[in-house]
Structure formats: structure tokens, C-alpha cells
Amino acid sequence: MLAETSLSIWGWGSLGVVLFLVTFGPFAIFYFAFYILCFVGGGFVVTLLFGKTNSEKYLEQCEHSFLPPTSVGVFKCTEEMKCEARPIKIDRRLTGANIIDEPLQQVIQFSLRDYVQYWYYTLSDDESFLLEIRQALQNALIQFSTRSKEMDWQPYFTTRLVDDFATHLRVFRKAQQRITEKDDQMKGTAEDLVDTFFKVEVEMEKEVCRDLVCTSSKDEEGFLRDLCEVLLYLLLPPGDFQNKIMRYFVREILARGILLPLINQLSDPDYINQYVIWMIRDSNCNYEAFMNVIKLSDNVGELEAVRDKAGEELQYLRSLDTAGDDINTIKNQINSLLYVVKVCDSRIQRLQSGKEIDTVKLAANFGKLCTVPLDNILVDNVALQFFMDYMQQTGGQAHLFFWMTVEGYRVTAQQQLEVLLSRQRDGKHQTNQTKGLLRAAAVGIYEQYLSEKASPRVNIDDSLVAKLAETLNHEEPTPEIFDDIQRKVYELMLRDERFYPSFKQNALYVRMLAELDMLKDPSFRGSDDGEGESFNGSPTSSINLSLDDLSNVSAEESAQLHAYISDTGVCNDHGKTYALYAITVHRRNPTSEEIWKTYRRYSDFHDFHMRITEQFENLASILKLPGKKTFNNMDKEFLEKRKKDLNAYLQLLLNPEMIKASPALAHCVYDFLENKAYSKGKGDFARKMDTFVNPLRNSMRNVSNAVKSLPDSLAEGMTKMSDNMGKMSERLGQDIKQSFFKVPPLMQKTDSDPEHCRVAAQLDDNVDDNIPLRVMLLLMDEVFDLKERNQWLRRNIKNLLQQLIRATYGDTINRKIVDHVDSMTSPDQVADAVKRFRDAFWPNGILAETVPRRDKDIRMRTRVAGKTKLLEIMPDELKHIIGAETTRKGILRVFEMFQHTQLNKRMVYVFLEGFLETLFPQYKFHELFSKLHSRSEQMQRYKQRLQSTQAPSLQKR
């Protein structure tokens, strides 16, 4: 039964399907499904539209039913806003000078366009808000311009600005010293230097520390916002300042749009290096200065960048296919580059291995030192300073000061007697007075150094002392009265093992050679572990003579040196045409013979001739340099004649009899013929400066300005003797007194350590000095760290600068400084500065894009180029005054100071603070800056240390 039922169901079902397919077709099932889907979708759409319409009607009914009616004032405000706004008239005058106002208006326009308009127009088309901001900026600029015109900027530029820079340099120098003193084995990182710098800053400033502003971008932005808000309060009208929205807009434009990018750019070390190179772009790079920078560099990155660039140049030169004369030029360039690579590799290896890199220490341990005669030491300011320090250590300062005192007495006495003779010829008689003063001065010298009461007493033959005492009692004193004893004292200093012989073995002697630029770096001559590196003064030379070897050549050996001009040529360098002479040099040794070539210009011959004739006066009448220094004729006949004349000059110069007559001449000749870049001596300016330098070497100032740390009895006696000589000078020669004895104090005596205060705090306001002299001393003291020297050298430098300034400018120097400051603040100069600012931020009227950071190797090579330029422009005259090593260290210290972004920011903010304090003297900006920097952790730690040190003393009371 069940089987039949299931069979009938399946049968009828199958029949229905067949009939459906026969009737509607095979695709009917798909149509059926589609119809059902459309029916369901249509139902949903109808329901949604019906619900949306009913909901909107209901919400509209609810709004009118429950919300309160709109106020009448809203409609009035709406109607007034729809009315056309009245135009705001803006006066485009800002400073009163159209040449300044025009670029300033462009800066304002560009600032509003790029910082406000680009987003404001997406919110509103109303121009009134933009016009109000423009009016606020113009009002601020007008007030700023008015205050600037009322200020006297001379004190700021001549005192405050220089003081801020010198104090910044002092803080950096002390930070470097502390890093060096921490651990000689561990080299401090840049972060350690920055942290130590701000520690020293708070110790010196005592009330402020700018570490947060300089190291944290968030704190820096906050500081600039606060500062701009204060400036807007001072410069804007009260109504504009009370408008918070406008005030905030203007504040952000000034702080984030103008000041912050400007400060970041001025603080970028790479930008500063490029600017330095651009400023001295007229000076060509000097090979010797470049190699000095490489040999003195302690930055591995600099050395690697130079080495890699030299390697690239080597690959390029080796790939060239040349022949003929060009091949020799390329070979020389390749040899030069190979030498640079070798020096860089040697320096990198020494730095990475932790070996000693200080040239002075290396020379003291491993170097062969050249000999400087005592005669030269006593007449050279730089050398005399080191010998003076050594004599003080060994207790022989009395001998040296006696020699210097007698030398000064002779010079002064001769001058006064000449004045006396001239007055006698004019009918004026002061014989007794003059001789009385001379006798008083001579007796003072005798009592100070030679009498039984002298302490310390110059140990000399008693018979000579007795003879001098007899002469003083019975004869009139003469300038030569002390000559015999002075000669004995000189021989004592020269031959006594305690003095000059031991001085040559002392570390002070090595430092003296370094200051005289007579010390070669032995790290390239041979290493201390036997690696056997050989130093060569030139990358292409075959001679291996150091300065020490040259200075100790005997007269017999010098007879084995022969030189002649083998070829001549005409060269063109930077548009200048000059003749070049190739000198072939033969040097015969007992075991070998060396031959090399060196190249010299006629100007080199001329400079060499001037140097040796000044040093060896007996040669002036024998040696005559042919021709003139300058010439324009470059034909072959002229060059051959010049070649013949110069060959005759060389043969006369190398004559054995000539060398025997002046043994020290051998060193000068070898130095001139050595295959290296010729280092010219004094230029015309330097020779003129000798008129200022020479009196310093042979005058009484060597005594009156001697070291202050002498024993009391000796120092007091020297002061009394100087006073006697000063009285004589005051009566008979006011100019001599001014030059030799009147030396105003550089610093006033203070109870605090002068190294822990600002630089300007040490100047004595009672000293009647010219402003530029004070500024030069201020900078020289800090740049070259002259406080480490004895007072004798510092006073000599001061008087030299004083004479130089007065001789150059006379009494009009103050007027010249005022005129220069006026020109710096003139409308033309201010307009140029505004235009440069506009062009830097908006070149061609378009906002400048952020400059991508340059590659590290390029930045490192820029550093090397900057240091090379700075060392190159340093005049030789400065090296002769304070020493070559001190000059190099001072210049490199200043350069290194600018290689830290945080420290550069600190200096920029210091300048900005000083500028604002000068511009608004009636407001307490100093207290404001102290409060703005009060969140510094360094400042808080310093106050805690100060309280902890003061607590025990208060408890004792």
C-alpha cells in the first residue's frame, strides 16, 4: 500500500514538471526566481520611501512644537553680515623709508598668503579678517621701527655683542677642558660636550640656563610663543592685543613661520661652514694649509670623506688616456692624491687605535728637535715667553730680568741722551737733571740685582761688581755702563747647564718650537711602534729631509749641495701669468747622491732674498738679486736672461765661503730648495709692523710688564726701578713714557674667579682705552686663550695693538666705529637685509621648500674646506705675535664651536636676548628671560648645590 502511494506521488510530480517545462520552456524556472526577487525588492523600496517622508514631516512638526522662537537680534546680525562690509584703509608706510617699506610689504603679503590664506578661504570669503591681521602686523612693525630709530646701537655692537660672543667662547673652552680632564683614555662624545657646556653656562651666568630651549624642540616652540606674545603686547595697540584670535594668529606666524625656521637655519653647522667658505671665496686654497688641517684633524668622518674623494679622483685620473706633456702633470696629481690618501689612512689608524695624536707630545717623545740660538730667543717675543717661564721654574729669573733690564736701560738712556743733545743744540740746558735721573736708574738696577741686599742676587764675578760700583760712585753713568756684566750674564745663561742647555731638553722648548712653527709632526716620520712610516714634506719629492736635519747641516756638508735652474716656463693661474723656474738640486752624501727638482717663482726668490738680508745684515752688500720683483715681459729672450742671472745668484749663495761666514744661512738655503710649497715670510705689511714689534723686544717694557707671580722682593724691586725710569721718561720724553712704561691694567681685581664670570665683567671701566682696542683684547684673550700666558706677553700684545691702531687710524677710530655702525643701520643696509631675507624664504615669490640635508661625506668635506680657508687667511704677523700653534688652536677652537647645533642655537638666543634688552631698556627683559628659562633642570641642580654648600657655613654662624 505504501509502495503504491509513493509511486503515485513521484508519478504525478514528474508529470507536473514535464507539463511545466513543455508549457513554459526550459528557462522558466530562472524567470520565476527573478520575478520573486523583484517583488521582494520593490516592497522594501516602497516601505523606505514611505517611512522617510513620514519621518521628515514628524520631525518638522516636533521642531515647531517644542523649540523656543528665534531671537530678533539674530536676524539683525544676519542682515548686517549680508550687507557689504566697509573697506578698511591701510597705510602702507612702515618705517618712513620707501626703500625698506616695499620689501617689508612683500614679506607681509607672502606670509599671509602662505600661512593664512591657503586655509582661511576654505572657511570664509570675508576679507576683513585678513585685513585686520595685516593691520596688526604693520602696527607692530611701525612701533618696532620707531624704537629702533630712538636707540643708540653703538654700545650694543661694540660691547654687548662682542661680550656675548666672547663669553660663549669662554664657556665652550671651559667645557672642552673639563671633557679633556675627565679621562684621557675615554674621548667624550658630542652629547657629553653639550651637557658639560650647559653646566658651565649655569655656573657662569648663575641666573639662567638655556639648555631646554636649545635641546628640546617643544620647549623651544613654547619659548618663542611666549616671547612673541610679550613683543605683541609691547608693540600692538591695546584693542588689537585683546583680540585673542588675531593675537594667536600673529603669534603663530611670527614664532612658527618666521623665527623658528630662521633660527634653525642660522644654527645649522653645515650652513655656517658654507657661509664661511663663501665669505672668504676670494682666497685660493693653500696646499700647506689643507695638509695641516688633515694632520691636525681628530674627526674620523672628515678624514674618511677626504680619503674617499681622493680615491675617486685617483680612479678618474688613471682612466685618462693622455700622452706628451700632460702625462707628467697627471702623474704629479696622482702622486699628490696618493700622499693625501696615505696621510688620511695614517691619521685614521692612529685615532682608531687610541695612540697619541698631539703633535707637541709626539715631538717631545720621538722627534728630533732643531736648535734655536739664545740670541734669537732673547729678541723674539714668543720664544722669550717660554724661556722666561723656564727660568722662573729653575730660579734663574733674576739673570734673565737683569739682562732685559740692562737692555731696556741702554735703549732708554741712548734715547734720552739724544733728546738732551738736541735740546742743547736748541739752547736748552738740563744736563744735571738728565744725568741725575740716569744715575738714579743705574743705581736702582745695581741695588736690585747686584748689591748684597739684592734678593735674589745675580751671581757674577765680584770684581766686575766692584768695578761697576766704583764707576757709579765716581763717574757719570753711560748707556754702556752695564755692558761687561750683561755679557757675563749672557754667557752664564748660555753655558750653565741649569739654564739654556737644560731648557733645550725641557717640554717648554718643544712648545716654543711649535709656536715658532718649527716643529714637524713626527707621527708621519716614524711611528713609536716601529712601523717605519717616513714623512715627506711633498708628495712628489724624493728628498727626505726634515726641518731638524736641515738646521743641523754643517758647513762642510753644505758644500756638497749644488743647485741650478734647469728650465723655465710660463704658467697661468686664476687669470694671472707668471714665470716659473725649475731648480735641479744635487745633494751628495758619503754613501749616496740625491737629486730632486723644485719649482719657484721670481716672487719666491725676492721674498727669500728679503728674508736672508734682514736676518744676515752682512749679506746685504754681497748678495744682489737681479731684476725687479714685477715684470710684464714674458718673451723667451727675457726668460733666458733672467735664468742666467738667477743661476749666478744661486752659485753665489751656495759658495762654501759664504756658508762659513754665516753658518745659520745653511738652514735657510735648504728650506728654500726643499721640494715643497714655499712658505713666504713677511709681506710688506709685516715689514712695516717691525717698527712696532722691535721696540717691544728691546725696551724697558720687558721689565715693567714682567710676570706678576714673581717673589715679592724681586717684583717690588723691579717696580721701583721701573718707576725711576718712568720719572726720567716723564720729564724728558713723554712719548717714550707712553710707549714703554704706561701700561694700563687689562683687568680690575675682583674677589671672584674671573674665569667664572662674563668676559665684560673683567674690563676696567676706568681705563681710558679706545673701544676697538678693548674689543680686540677681549676677543684675542678668549679666541687664543692668552690668559694661559704670562702677563708679559699679554701686555706686549696690548701695546702692539694700541700702537698699530693709533698708527693706522689715529684718534679718529671712535668716529670710524660710529660711522660703521651708522652704515650698518642705514636704510640701504636694512633694505638689503630685508631683501635677502625675502629672497631666502620666498625665492621668485614662492615659498622655499625645505632644503634636504646634504650627504654626510659632503658635509665633512665642507668642514675641511672651511678650516682650510680660516687657517689660510690668518696673517703671518699674528703668528709672529702670539705663536703659530696658539693661532692654529684658537682658530680651530672657534671653528669647532660652530659644529654643534645646540650650541649655535644658544648663541643665537643670546644675541636675540641682548638685542631685545637693548631695544626695550625700560622693560625688565632680563628678569623675563630668567623666568622663561627657570624650568631648566641644570638650573635647579645648580641651586640645590649652591644651597647645600651654603648650609654648613650658616650653621657655623
Side-chain angles (χ1 to χ4, degrees):
M1 187 68 182
L2 292 174
E4 293 177 358
T5 303
S6 60
L7 180 62
S8 95
I9 293 173
W10 281 104
W12 286 105
S14 301
L15 179 62
V17 170
V18 172
L19 292 175
F20 179 82
L21 293 175
V22 170
T23 304
F24 298 101
F27 296 98
I29 188 171
F30 297 103
Y31 293 125
F32 183 74
F34 177 72
Y35 295 150
I36 295 175
L37 182 62
C38 289
F39 176 79
V40 175
F44 276 113
V45 172
V46 172
T47 304
L48 180 63
L49 291 176
F50 179 78
K52 180 177 182 295
T53 303
N54 290 337
S55 298
E56 290 177 352
K57 292 181 180 179
Y58 180 76
L59 289 175
E60 187 177 355
Q61 293 175 359
C62 292
E63 181 180 357
H64 291 291
S65 301
F66 304 110
L67 293 178
T70 305
S71 174
V72 180
V74 174
F75 292 104
K76 288 187 177 182
C77 290
T78 305
E79 292 176 359
E80 290 183 2
M81 291 177 65
K82 291 180 180 179
C83 296
E84 184 178 358
R86 290 175 297 177
I88 300 177
K89 296 182 180 180
I90 297 180
D91 189 355
R92 299 181 65 87
R93 292 176 298 178
L94 299 175
T95 63
N98 184 58
I99 192 176
I100 302 176
D101 293 347
E102 182 179 352
L104 269 180
Q105 288 290 351
Q106 292 179 345
V107 170
I108 295 175
Q109 178 183 350
F110 293 155
S111 300
L112 293 176
R113 182 195 66 189
D114 294 326
Y115 294 111
V116 179
Q117 291 179 2
Y118 81 96
W119 60 263
Y120 176 76
Y121 283 139
T122 62
L123 303 176
S124 173
D125 295 332
D126 187 14
E127 297 283 346
S128 59
F129 178 72
L130 298 176
L131 294 176
E132 290 289 348
I133 292 181
R134 188 185 190 97
Q135 184 66 52
L137 287 173
Q138 292 193 174
N139 290 336
L141 288 174
I142 291 172
Q143 292 295 326
F144 180 84
S145 173
T146 303
R147 290 183 178 273
S148 298
K149 293 177 182 178
E150 296 173 352
M151 294 304 303
D152 180 15
W153 291 104
Q154 180 187 350
Y156 173 75
F157 284 107
T158 58
T159 304
R160 176 63 186 268
L161 189 68
V162 179
D163 174 45
D164 288 339
F165 177 79
T167 302
H168 183 84
L169 181 59
R170 171 177 289 184
V171 176
F172 179 76
R173 175 173 55 82
K174 291 178 68 65
Q176 277 188 324
Q177 292 175 354
R178 291 193 184 182
I179 291 293
T180 305
E181 294 170 358
K182 279 184 179 179
D183 193 350
D184 294 336
Q185 302 298 327
M186 297 294 293
K187 184 179 179 181
T189 62
E191 291 76 10
D192 295 336
L193 178 62
V194 172
D195 185 63
T196 306
F197 178 91
F198 288 109
K199 288 181 181 178
V200 178
E201 181 196 20
V202 71
E203 294 175 1
M204 187 169 295
E205 298 282 357
K206 296 181 175 59
E207 297 179 356
V208 66
C209 183
R210 303 171 181 84
D211 57 337
L212 286 181
V213 176
C214 300
T215 57
S216 172
S217 58
K218 181 179 179 180
D219 290 292
E220 182 181 13
E221 293 178 3
F223 172 80
L224 289 176
R225 288 193 183 99
D226 295 338
L227 182 60
C228 290
E229 192 147 357
V230 173
L231 292 177
L232 292 177
Y233 172 78
L234 297 176
L235 298 176
L236 289 180
D240 292 341
F241 182 79
Q242 295 300 327
N243 188 335
K244 291 186 177 180
I245 297 178
M246 184 181 300
R247 186 174 80 232
Y248 291 161
F249 272 117
V250 176
R251 184 193 69 181
E252 290 300 315
I253 292 174
L254 292 176
R256 297 288 302 276
I258 297 178
L259 288 180
L260 188 60
L262 180 62
I263 291 173
N264 288 336
Q265 184 178 22
L266 295 177
S267 304
D268 184 15
D270 189 48
Y271 172 79
I272 296 175
N273 297 339
Q274 294 179 66
Y275 188 73
V276 168
I277 296 173
W278 177 82
M279 286 186 65
I280 47 184
R281 59 190 179 279
D282 296 334
S283 175
N284 297 323
C285 286
N286 180 274
Y287 169 79
E288 186 175 356
F290 171 72
M291 293 310 302
N292 282 335
V293 169
I294 297 299
K295 295 174 184 177
L296 295 173
S297 176
D298 57 355
N299 189 308
V300 176
E302 293 179 359
L303 298 171
E304 290 178 344
V306 173
R307 181 193 61 187
D308 295 342
K309 189 63 177 179
E312 294 177 6
E313 292 295 325
L314 278 172
Q315 293 180 0
Y316 170 75
L317 292 175
R318 286 168 175 167
S319 65
L320 295 178
D321 185 12
T322 57
D325 295 336
D326 292 338
I327 192 65
N328 295 326
T329 302
I330 293 178
K331 284 183 178 180
N332 290 335
Q333 293 177 356
I334 291 176
N335 289 334
S336 299
L337 291 172
L338 287 174
Y339 176 70
V340 172
V341 171
K342 179 181 179 181
V343 173
C344 291
D345 287 335
S346 176
R347 188 73 175 177
I348 291 172
Q349 181 183 2
R350 185 168 287 276
L351 287 170
Q352 292 177 343
S353 62
K355 297 178 181 179
E356 183 61 63
I357 60 174
D358 186 81
T359 304
V360 176
K361 294 181 180 179
L362 284 170
N365 295 330
F366 311 108
K368 182 181 178 183
L369 307 178
C370 60
T371 300
V372 180
L374 182 61
D375 291 339
N376 295 342
I377 293 177
L378 293 176
V379 297
D380 186 276
N381 284 302
V382 177
L384 183 57
Q385 173 229 336
F386 290 96
F387 188 58
M388 186 183 300
D389 291 340
Y390 175 78
M391 294 294 283
Q392 183 179 346
Q393 293 177 6
T394 58
Q397 66 269 31
H399 299 80
L400 177 59
F401 279 111
F402 171 78
W403 189 93
M404 295 165 60
T405 303
V406 171
E407 196 71 14
Y409 167 82
R410 181 190 301 108
V411 172
T412 306
Q414 290 174 350
Q415 292 174 345
Q416 300 312 312
L417 291 178
E418 291 176 0
V419 172
L420 176 62
L421 292 176
S422 64
R423 292 188 176 184
Q424 287 178 347
R425 287 193 295 267
D426 296 337
K428 300 177 181 180
H429 299 281
Q430 295 181 351
T431 305
N432 295 332
Q433 183 182 21
T434 302
K435 293 182 178 180
L437 291 172
L438 285 175
R439 179 181 298 279
V443 171
I445 296 174
Y446 174 82
E447 294 292 339
Q448 174 62 36
Y449 297 103
L450 302 173
S451 66
E452 296 293 337
K453 300 178 181 180
S455 178
R457 183 173 183 268
V458 176
N459 296 322
I460 206 68
D461 191 355
D462 292 338
S463 61
L464 292 176
V465 176
K467 181 180 178 181
L468 174 63
E470 184 71 16
T471 304
L472 288 174
N473 291 330
H474 298 91
E475 299 180 10
E476 296 295 339
T478 63
E480 298 80 15
I481 191 172
F482 294 100
D483 283 4
D484 293 338
I485 298 181
Q486 185 191 28
R487 192 177 302 109
K488 289 293 184 181
V489 170
Y490 173 82
E491 293 178 358
L492 178 66
M493 291 190 297
L494 178 64
R495 307 186 185 284
D496 195 316
E497 288 296 330
R498 297 173 299 167
F499 303 140
Y500 177 68
S502 298
F503 173 63
K504 293 191 294 183
Q505 308 299 324
N506 193 274
L508 287 173
Y509 185 78
V510 181
R511 290 177 55 192
M512 181 196 74
L513 294 179
E515 295 293 353
L516 297 176
D517 209 11
M518 301 176 67
L519 193 65
K520 291 289 183 93
D521 188 354
S523 62
F524 301 98
R525 187 187 309 161
S527 59
D528 53 333
D529 54 3
E531 295 175 0
E533 302 175 29
S534 62
F535 173 75
N536 200 328
S538 172
T540 60
S541 71
S542 59
I543 184 174
N544 192 22
L545 291 175
S546 67
L547 180 63
D548 314 320
D549 303 323
L550 298 176
S551 61
N552 296 321
V553 175
S554 63
E556 290 75 10
E557 189 177 356
S558 65
Q560 301 175 2
L561 184 73
H562 302 279
Y564 62 93
I565 298 176
S566 56
D567 196 8
T568 61
V570 178
C571 298
N572 186 285
D573 184 19
H574 298 280
K576 297 181 179 179
T577 303
Y578 57 87
L580 194 66
Y581 301 91
I583 305 175
T584 302
V585 185
H586 294 259
R587 182 176 184 268
R588 295 186 179 90
N589 292 325
T591 58
S592 63
E593 179 180 356
E594 294 176 317
I595 302 176
W596 69 89
K597 280 189 177 182
T598 187
Y599 298 88
R600 294 290 181 260
R601 297 172 56 177
Y602 181 80
S603 59
D604 299 334
F605 278 96
H606 181 273
D607 182 83
F608 172 72
H609 180 75
M610 295 295 293
R611 293 171 68 176
I612 62 175
T613 52
E614 286 180 359
Q615 185 174 355
F616 309 99
E617 296 181 357
N618 60 320
L619 300 181
S621 59
I622 303 174
L623 284 173
K624 299 295 182 182
L625 185 66
K628 297 182 179 179
K629 182 179 179 181
T630 59
F631 59 91
N632 297 319
N633 191 359
M634 289 291 181
D635 59 12
K636 185 175 181 181
E637 182 180 354
F638 174 83
L639 292 178
E640 288 298 325
K641 184 178 183 304
R642 175 63 59 80
K643 172 184 174 182
K644 180 179 179 181
D645 294 339
L646 290 178
N647 270 325
Y649 178 81
L650 285 175
Q651 299 309 316
L652 181 61
L653 190 65
L654 293 172
N655 191 317
E657 299 299 328
M658 181 82 69
I659 299 297
K660 290 181 180 179
S662 302
L665 179 63
H667 161 66
C668 300
V669 175
Y670 270 95
D671 185 63
F672 179 73
L673 296 177
E674 190 175 3
N675 190 2
K676 65 178 183 179
Y678 178 64
S679 177
K680 289 190 176 182
K682 302 178 181 179
D684 294 336
F685 178 69
R687 303 183 198 284
K688 294 177 182 178
M689 281 191 64
D690 283 342
T691 59
F692 302 106
V693 177
N694 289 335
L696 298 175
R697 297 173 178 172
N698 302 302
S699 68
M700 200 60 188
R701 189 179 301 130
N702 293 339
V703 181
S704 61
N705 302 323
V707 188
K708 291 183 177 180
S709 57
L710 294 171
D712 293 339
S713 59
L714 178 58
E716 292 175 0
M718 289 172 59
T719 303
K720 293 177 181 179
M721 181 277 303
S722 299
D723 290 340
N724 291 333
M725 297 297 292
K727 293 177 182 178
M728 174 179 63
S729 240
E730 183 178 3
R731 297 185 182 184
L732 298 180
Q734 186 66 21
D735 293 337
I736 302 297
K737 176 178 180 290
Q738 292 285 341
S739 300
F740 294 159
F741 304 103
K742 183 182 179 182
V743 183
L746 282 175
M747 296 184 298
Q748 60 182 0
K749 294 182 179 180
T750 57
D751 297 331
S752 60
D753 185 3
E755 284 288 291
H756 286 81
C757 62
R758 294 183 64 87
V759 174
Q762 305 172 53
L763 287 177
D764 190 351
D765 295 332
N766 297 323
V767 176
D768 185 19
D769 267 342
N770 286 326
I771 291 176
L773 181 59
R774 298 174 65 185
V775 171
M776 292 180 69
L777 287 174
L778 200 70
L779 285 175
M780 290 190 68
D781 267 355
E782 294 306 321
V783 171
F784 302 109
D785 198 12
L786 297 181
K787 294 180 181 61
E788 298 296 324
R789 305 295 188 87
N790 56 43
Q791 294 298 314
W792 175 84
L793 178 65
R794 296 185 67 226
R795 297 297 175 86
N796 274 353
I797 294 173
K798 177 192 178 300
N799 283 273
L800 176 62
L801 293 175
Q802 188 176 25
Q803 294 182 41
L804 181 60
I805 291 174
R806 287 178 178 172
T808 306
Y809 298 104
D811 296 330
T812 64
I813 186 65
N814 287 326
R815 181 69 258 172
K816 289 183 178 294
I817 284 191
V818 173
D819 293 341
H820 184 64
V821 172
D822 291 341
S823 67
M824 290 173 59
T825 56
S826 64
D828 294 337
Q829 294 293 329
V830 174
D832 289 340
V834 175
K835 290 178 182 178
R836 287 195 296 269
F837 174 79
R838 178 199 61 191
D839 296 337
F841 275 76
W842 293 277
N844 299 322
I846 302 174
L847 182 64
E849 297 180 358
T850 302
V851 179
R853 188 174 178 82
R854 300 200 305 168
D855 182 69
K856 179 183 177 182
D857 289 342
I858 298 178
R859 287 185 280 115
M860 291 294 105
R861 288 195 291 270
T862 304
R863 286 182 52 161
V864 174
K867 287 192 284 189
T868 303
K869 288 280 190 179
L870 287 176
L871 289 181
E872 182 185 356
I873 65 171
M874 285 299 105
D876 291 337
E877 292 78 16
L878 185 62
K879 298 178 183 179
H880 298 159
I881 296 174
I882 63 177
E885 185 72 10
T886 299
T887 302
R888 278 194 293 266
K889 286 184 177 180
I891 296 303
L892 294 179
R893 181 187 297 116
V894 174
F895 184 85
E896 182 64 26
M897 181 183 69
F898 287 110
Q899 305 311 307
H900 304 275
T901 303
Q902 299 91 333
L903 307 190
N904 294 338
K905 283 191 175 183
R906 189 261 179 192
M907 185 166 60
V908 172
Y909 282 117
V910 168
F911 289 162
L912 179 61
E913 293 172 10
F915 176 80
L916 294 177
E917 290 178 17
T918 305
L919 186 63
F920 302 98
Q922 68 273 30
Y923 300 106
K924 300 179 180 179
F925 262 92
H926 182 72
E927 296 180 5
L928 172 66
F929 290 129
S930 299
K931 292 179 180 179
L932 292 178
H933 296 300
S934 60
R935 296 192 302 272
S936 169
E937 297 181 359
Q938 295 281 6
M939 191 70 201
Q940 295 174 3
R941 287 196 291 265
Y942 173 75
K943 290 181 178 179
Q944 293 175 358
R945 291 197 303 268
L946 195 63
Q947 292 175 357
S948 61
T949 55
Q950 292 177 352
S953 60
L954 293 176
Q955 292 177 357
K956 291 180 180 179
R957 293 182 182 177

